[in-house]
Amino acid sequence: MSGRWLGSLLSLLASVLLSAGAVQAQTAPTTATATFAGGCFWCVESDFDKIPGVLSTTSGYIGGTTANPTYQQVSRNGTGHAEAVEIVFDPAKVSYATLVEKFWRTIDPTTKDRQFCDTGNPYRTAIFTHDAAQAEVVKRSLAALEKSKPFKEPIVTEVVAATKFYPAEDYHQDYYLKNPIRYKYYRTSCGRDARLAQLWGPAKN
């Protein structure tokens, strides 16, 4: 009897531990968010959608004072928002530090209130951090970049705490997929990739 009782107790204990592990696995965070402003949000979406571990990208507006801004309001420099992209990613597959390093090399961090052919405060570059851990990652990344950057100009990209993010209008989402010809023409004529090659060297696949 005692042996069977002990076996039952051990079986029950194992079941409890397995259930606890399952609950912990379900409640543990499996995604994280990064928010970057890098000029035209169509281009930022396109660049980050290619990265394994990125689950979704959403174009939108952040860093301003007007609630529920429209594209027309933002583009007229009237709200203080920047065009930005909110990135949801799987930290088990890609780290926040990796995304930050990718971000630097998809922008011109030397220009204030402008990216390539787009001018004005909405096109400023910025990293919007979501917690102290992200802020520390960006701090270290920026310090390293200041020492290793392959250009002489100072880095003027803002690093600020994230505020409320407003998704942009539907026609802006996945624009590069919905309108590939127009998107490619815009990106080429705007000189984005040419300037990036000038700053960082040839793109690495």
Side-chain angles (χ1 to χ4, degrees):
M1 288 291 293
S2 61
R4 275 184 281 181
W5 179 84
L6 180 59
S8 297
L9 180 61
L10 290 174
S11 178
L12 177 62
L13 180 59
S15 297
V16 170
L17 291 174
L18 286 172
S19 297
V23 170
Q24 185 176 10
Q26 289 174 0
T27 58
T30 57
T31 64
T33 301
T35 306
F36 300 131
C40 171
F41 43 29
W42 302 341
C43 298
V44 179
E45 264 200 32
S46 173
D47 290 338
F48 280 90
D49 274 345
K50 298 180 178 73
I51 300 176
V54 168
L55 304 177
S56 69
T57 56
T58 303
S59 289
Y61 317 110
I62 192 172
T65 56
T66 302
N68 300 305
T70 65
Y71 176 73
Q72 287 73 21
Q73 289 174 315
V74 173
S75 62
R76 288 197 295 265
N77 300 313
T79 70
H81 290 89
E83 284 197 12
V85 172
E86 186 176 79
I87 300 163
V88 177
F89 64 98
D90 182 350
K93 296 181 178 179
V94 61
S95 68
Y96 180 69
T98 297
L99 296 179
V100 171
E101 292 305 308
K102 172 67 174 179
F103 173 70
W104 290 126
R105 284 156 181 78
T106 61
I107 64 164
D108 179 351
T110 71
T111 56
K112 182 177 174 61
D113 294 338
R114 176 168 63 86
Q115 279 296 281
F116 316 105
C117 66
D118 294 313
T119 60
N121 189 246
Y123 300 103
R124 65 189 183 273
T125 59
I127 300 175
F128 294 90
T129 58
H130 289 265
D131 54 34
Q134 286 193 355
E136 182 60 28
V137 168
V138 177
K139 179 181 177 181
R140 292 197 302 267
S141 176
L142 179 57
L145 186 60
E146 290 283 9
K147 296 178 180 179
S148 65
K149 59 186 174 71
F151 46 82
K152 295 180 180 179
E153 299 92 340
I155 295 170
V156 298
T157 299
E158 300 175 4
V159 180
V160 293
T163 54
K164 186 171 178 58
F165 178 86
Y166 296 94
E169 295 81 350
D170 287 345
Y171 70 90
H172 285 300
Q173 308 302 333
D174 296 320
Y175 186 89
Y176 75 100
L177 295 174
K178 297 173 182 174
N179 304 278
I181 295 175
R182 290 183 180 179
Y183 169 73
K184 289 177 182 178
Y185 174 78
Y186 160 77
R187 183 163 183 140
T188 301
S189 62
C190 202
R192 190 178 188 105
D193 294 321
R195 175 59 176 161
L196 291 177
Q198 186 181 50
L199 281 168
W200 302 104
K204 296 179 181 179
N205 296 325

